[in-house]
Amino acid sequence: MEPLMNIDRLSTVFFTEDGKVTAVDEVSFSIREGETVCIVGESGCGKSVTAMSIMGLVEEPGGKISGGSIDFRGEDLLRLDKNTLRSIRGNEIAMIFQEPMSSLNPVMRIGEQIMEPLLVHLRMNKKQARARAIELITQVGISRPEQIMGSYPHELSGGMLQRIMIAIAISCGPKLLIADEPTTALDVTIQAQILDLLRGFKENSGMSILLITHDLGVVAEMADYVIVMYSGQIVEEGGVVELFQNPKHPYTRGLLKSKPVMGQRLEELYSIPGQVPSPLALEPSCYFHDRCGHCMDVCRTRQPQLQETGSGQKVACWLYEEAEVYV
Amino acid sequence: MSEALLEVKSLKKYFPVKQGLLGRTVGHVKAVDDISITLQPGETFGLVGESGSGKSTVGRTVLRLTDKTDGEVKFKGVDIHSLSAADMRLIRPQMQLIFQDPYSALNPRVRVGDAIGEALLDHGLCTRGEVRELVLEAMVACGLSSYHIDRFPHEFSGGQRQRIGIARALILNPELIIADEPVSALDVSIQAQIINLFSKLQQSKGLAYLFISHDLSVVEHLCSRIGVMYLGSMVETASRDELFQHPLHPYTKALLSAVPVPVPRLKRERIVLKGDIPSPANPPSGCKFHTRCPFAVEVCKAEIPLFRDAGAGHFVACHLV
C-alpha cells in the first residue's frame, strides 16, 4: 500500500532554562493508507511531541522543529505556509487528545463545536452543518443527538466527551487521525467502547490512525505496525504480531515482561532497573545502556543505528549490529 | 480463625446534596452503600471498580478521615468510629494511607527526610536523636539511597516519590496500609518496581493491604481476595483465582473482558457495556447495574439483589446467579 505520510529524520527541540532538550531525535517512519500505527513508550520518550510536530503545534520560542521533513501526500508539511497548513489541519489530518474535557471549549455548546469545522473546512451552510452534526453524534453512538447539540461540555461524562471529540475529528473525513492517549483518562469499560468506535471508523472509511499510547494492551488490540520510542528515539519497530512475539530490543522485552498480564500471574514481576535518563545530559551512547542487562563497552560510547533485521523488524541495538545474537 | 485485623460491616457513607438559597438537603449521594470487608493480618484485599464507584470513599471512611453514615469499622476488635480523638490518634500509626499522586502528596518545601520522619516525632514514637537513623532505615527498605535524605521532592521522579510515600507510611510500623491507586500514575517499568516493593514489604513485615485500584491486572497480581464495587455497592467478592477464573456477576465479567491484553490478534469474547456509570445521586432502581447489564430481566429493575454466598466464600449480588 501507498504511504500516506512519510516522516524523515524529524527532530524537535525545546529550549528550557537548563538547556536545549532534543525531545524527538531523528525519527523516521511512514504511515500507509488504512493502517494503524502505534507509538508506544513511557512518559518523556517523545511520543506526544512527535504527534504535535506533525500537527504543527510546536511553537517558537518554546521549541521548534530543528530538522527533517513530514511528507503528506506529496507535500512537506514543514514547508507549507500557514494558510495551506490550516486547510489540511482539522480537515485531512485530525487529532484527538487525552483530556477531552480540556480540548473542548467550556462556554460553547457541543453543537457549535461540531459544526465549526464543517462550516470552515467544508463550507457548508448552517442548516447543512447542523444536519451533519446530528448525523455525526449518532454515528459515535450517542442517543438523543438534538439534546446533546444544545449541551455544554460540563454536562457530559468523559466517555461522552471523547465521543464528541471523535465526531469533530472525523467530521471532515480525514485521511489521518492522530489520537494521543485517547483512552488513558477513561475507565476500562468506556475504553473498550472508544477503541471499538475508532476501529469501526477505520474499517469503514479507510482512514489511517496514528495512535499514541503507553498501554501495551491497547497497542496489541489496535495496531498494525508498532514503533517503540525511548528518550526521543525509535529503538524498535515492526509489525504488531512479530514485535509482540519476537521483541528484539532489550527495552521492548523489558516493557513486555514488566506489564502484569491478566491470567498470567507471576510471583514477582520483571522490572527494568533504574529510570529514564535526563534529556539534558545525553552523551553519544545507547540511551538505554545503564538500564540494560546486556550492556557492552560499545553501548556506552557509540549510538546504535536503526537497522533492519531478518523478519522485517527494525531495531537500534548493538546486539544485532553484526550478526543476530540470541539474548 | 484468628481475629480479623479489619472488619468492615455494612458501612455506609452518604453525602448530602444541598440546593437552593437555604442549602436544604434535597437528596443523598450514596457513595458507599452497605459495604462489608474482612481483612486478616498479612492479607491483601483488592477493591476494584470504575471511577465514581466509591472505592476511595471506602478507604477514607475505613481510616476515619471522613465520618461514616452508618455501619461499623473494627480495627483489631475496636470500633474506630466510636473512639475519642485522643484514642484515635493513638491508633493512627497502625493504619496508614498511600495516595495515588505522589506529586501532590508531598510538601514541595519539606526535605524528604523530614517528611518521612515527621509522623514519628509527631506521635512521640522516637526522639530527635533517633529519627534520622530510622528514616534512613525506612528509605533503604523502600529502595531509596541514603544520600536522598536531604533532598527536596522536586528532585525525584514519580516512581521515587511513590517510594517516599511508602517509606513515610512504613516508618510507623503499621499493620494495615490502605493504598489508593498507588501505581496508577506510574509508567509500566516503574509500576513493576513499585508492585514488587509492595509484595516484598508484605513478606518481610507481615503487612495487610487494602489495595484500591481500577487496574484488574495489578489487582490480580497483588491481592488474595478481591471485591468489585459498582455505584457504592459491592457486587462480588471472591478469592483471586475464583474471581478471575469464575466471575459470576455480569459486571465483573464485563470488566474482565474489557481489559486489553498484550497479545495481538487475540480473539476473545468481549462484553461491551453500553453507556456510562449512572449518577450515584440518582441510582437506578432494583439492581443498580440493570441499566447497563446485557442480561437484565424484569426482576432486576424492581428488586435489589441480595449479596449472598454462592459457595466457597464467593459472594455475589445478582438475581441471575
Side-chain angles (χ1 to χ4, degrees):
Chain A
M1 261 185 289
E2 274 295 289
L4 179 72
M5 179 176 274
N6 238 322
I7 295 169
D8 188 35
R9 279 168 293 156
L10 176 73
S11 293
T12 305
V13 296
F14 288 101
F15 306 100
T16 70
E17 271 177 31
D18 304 316
K20 194 173 87 174
V21 168
T22 308
V24 176
D25 189 3
E26 302 216 341
V27 162
S28 307
F29 63 94
S30 39
I31 304 168
R32 280 179 281 274
E33 273 175 40
E35 184 184 52
T36 302
V37 174
C38 277
I39 303 184
V40 62
E42 298 182 281
S43 350
C45 72
K47 54 191 193 304
S48 287
V49 180
T50 304
M52 304 272 276
S53 305
I54 296 172
M55 286 301 269
L57 297 173
V58 177
E59 279 185 355
E60 289 188 71
K64 69 167 196 195
I65 295 173
S66 60
S69 64
I70 302 170
D71 182 274
F72 178 70
R73 308 174 92 191
E75 277 180 304
D76 185 358
L77 293 183
L78 299 179
R79 276 173 230 299
L80 292 179
D81 61 88
K82 269 201 166 154
N83 285 331
T84 327
L85 187 62
R86 201 180 140 89
S87 71
I88 292 178
R89 198 160 55 186
N91 192 5
E92 292 180 68
I93 308 177
M95 185 162 181
I96 53 176
F97 301 87
Q98 175 172 348
E99 280 287 342
M101 200 64 179
S102 52
S103 321
L104 289 164
N105 187 338
V107 294
M108 229 171 125
R109 291 178 199 275
I110 297 287
E112 295 171 60
Q113 303 196 47
I114 302 182
M115 282 160 66
E116 198 177 16
L118 299 171
L119 298 170
V120 173
H121 286 301
L122 303 185
R123 302 189 188 281
M124 287 184 179
N125 64 34
K126 277 214 160 163
K127 208 175 152 195
Q128 290 170 318
R130 194 182 154 77
R132 177 80 183 121
I134 289 175
E135 221 176 274
L136 284 163
I137 298 177
T138 319
Q139 271 181 31
V140 294
I142 300 178
S143 49
R144 302 176 287 120
E146 273 93 358
Q147 194 187 334
I148 298 292
M149 288 284 284
S151 319
Y152 288 98
H154 75 268
E155 297 175 89
L156 305 183
S157 68
M160 295 261 264
L161 290 175
Q162 198 58 289
R163 286 172 191 270
I164 298 293
M165 284 302 294
I166 293 174
I168 296 173
I170 60 162
S171 60
C172 300
K175 294 274 175 252
L176 174 66
L177 175 70
I178 302 179
D180 188 358
E181 303 266 12
T183 57
T184 308
L186 308 175
D187 281 314
V188 271
T189 58
I190 310 295
Q191 166 169 285
Q193 296 172 359
I194 298 290
L195 294 181
D196 268 6
L197 191 65
L198 284 176
R199 231 186 336 243
F201 280 123
K202 184 198 128 182
E203 275 157 24
N204 293 336
S205 68
M207 111 189 137
S208 309
I209 300 179
L210 178 63
L211 180 69
I212 288 158
T213 178
H214 69 283
D215 187 334
L216 290 160
V218 172
V219 174
E221 208 159 286
M222 299 294 287
D224 297 310
Y225 196 79
V226 186
I227 291 166
V228 185
M229 283 186 77
Y230 188 78
S231 283
Q233 297 181 330
I234 296 178
V235 293
E236 182 163 6
E237 58 176 272
V240 65
V241 176
E242 294 78 34
L243 195 108
F244 276 81
Q245 274 171 5
N246 191 11
K248 293 241 163 29
H249 199 283
Y251 176 64
T252 317
R253 287 168 185 241
L255 264 191
L256 282 167
K257 272 198 286 181
S258 52
K259 185 180 163 60
V261 180
M262 245 173 39
Q264 301 170 23
R265 201 179 163 273
L266 307 162
E267 266 321 300
E268 199 189 341
L269 281 176
Y270 175 82
S271 66
I272 304 175
Q275 47 195 315
V276 180
S278 157
L280 286 164
L282 293 175
E283 301 282 329
S285 63
C286 169
Y287 296 155
F288 188 62
H289 78 264
D290 55 350
R291 301 178 77 187
C292 182
H294 308 282
C295 182
M296 303 174 288
D297 284 340
V298 61
C299 307
R300 293 193 186 91
T301 52
R302 284 174 59 205
Q303 201 150 57
Q305 298 299 314
L306 200 61
Q307 293 207 340
E308 214 151 317
T309 65
S311 47
Q313 269 159 280
K314 286 184 189 169
V315 60
C317 177
W318 286 112
L319 289 172
Y320 302 96
E321 207 59 12
E322 287 287 323
E324 215 175 299
V325 189
Y326 184 72
V327 193
Chain B
M1 205 149 70
S2 60
E3 193 194 14
L5 181 70
L6 178 74
E7 219 176 341
V8 179
K9 265 194 209 148
S10 308
L11 184 68
K12 290 180 187 160
K13 174 69 192 172
Y14 297 171
F15 293 101
V17 180
K18 296 195 163 133
Q19 218 171 48
L21 198 62
L22 301 171
R24 269 185 309 176
T25 304
V26 292
H28 285 98
V29 173
K30 298 180 177 177
V32 177
D33 198 8
D34 209 349
I35 293 280
S36 302
I37 296 168
T38 312
L39 188 62
Q40 303 296 331
E43 194 194 25
T44 306
F45 187 91
L47 204 52
V48 294
E50 294 179 279
S51 29
S53 62
K55 50 194 195 305
S56 293
T57 311
V58 170
R60 298 180 62 85
T61 319
V62 165
L63 285 174
R64 206 181 160 187
L65 293 176
T66 166
D67 283 322
K68 65 173 185 188
T69 303
D70 196 16
E72 210 176 54
V73 179
K74 275 189 173 171
F75 180 72
K76 297 210 266 182
V78 182
D79 182 359
I80 63 159
H81 279 267
S82 66
L83 292 177
S84 67
D87 287 339
M88 190 62 220
R89 215 178 128 68
L90 288 176
I91 220 168
R92 282 238 179 265
Q94 297 173 37
M95 39 203 313
Q96 288 294 309
L97 179 63
I98 295 171
F99 299 92
Q100 168 172 6
D101 186 358
Y103 292 82
S104 52
L106 290 166
N107 184 336
R109 301 215 204 169
V110 175
R111 291 178 198 275
V112 302
D114 297 335
I116 297 171
E118 189 182 8
L120 269 185
L121 292 170
D122 220 40
H123 281 286
L125 295 172
C126 76
T127 63
R128 287 213 166 266
E130 295 162 345
V131 69
R132 205 174 162 88
E133 198 55 40
L134 290 166
V135 168
L136 281 174
E137 203 179 292
M139 286 177 71
V140 171
C142 295
L144 293 159
S145 306
S146 48
Y147 62 82
H148 287 141
I149 190 165
D150 289 320
R151 296 201 177 172
F152 287 99
H154 75 264
E155 296 173 77
F156 294 88
S157 65
Q160 284 176 313
R161 280 183 223 207
Q162 199 53 287
R163 289 177 192 271
I164 296 169
I166 298 171
R168 200 156 63 147
L170 199 69
I171 198 164
L172 295 164
N173 266 325
E175 288 177 54
L176 170 68
I177 287 186
I178 296 185
D180 191 356
E181 302 267 13
V183 297
S184 308
L186 306 175
D187 276 316
V188 201
S189 72
I190 307 300
Q191 179 178 306
Q193 294 175 3
I194 301 295
I195 292 174
N196 286 340
L197 177 63
F198 271 108
S199 13
K200 200 185 88 193
L201 292 173
Q202 180 163 51
Q203 280 155 22
S204 61
K205 310 213 181 250
L207 291 167
Y209 296 126
L210 178 61
F211 196 89
I212 299 167
S213 177
H214 69 281
D215 189 332
L216 284 154
S217 42
V218 172
V219 166
E220 185 193 20
H221 196 83
L222 273 172
C223 303
S224 45
R225 273 183 74 76
I226 294 161
V228 182
M229 280 185 75
Y230 187 77
L231 274 181
S233 302
M234 197 74 95
V235 296
E236 185 163 5
T237 49
S239 69
R240 173 186 59 225
D241 296 340
E242 182 65 19
L243 189 90
F244 279 86
Q245 278 154 28
H246 309 288
L248 293 175
H249 200 283
Y251 179 62
T252 314
K253 289 181 189 170
L255 263 189
L256 288 173
S257 77
V259 177
V261 174
V263 181
R265 308 273 136 74
L266 180 74
K267 291 267 176 279
R268 51 178 189 153
E269 226 170 288
R270 170 170 281 174
I271 308 167
V272 176
L273 292 180
K274 290 202 176 64
D276 287 315
I277 188 165
S279 156
N282 185 19
S285 63
C287 171
K288 289 175 184 170
F289 185 58
H290 85 256
T291 51
R292 297 174 79 195
C293 182
F295 312 107
V297 291
E298 276 308 310
V299 63
C300 306
K301 290 180 196 162
E303 276 176 53
I304 299 173
L306 288 176
F307 192 64
R308 58 192 168 74
D309 197 342
H314 193 148
F315 287 82
V316 64
C318 179
H319 288 300
L320 302 172
V321 178

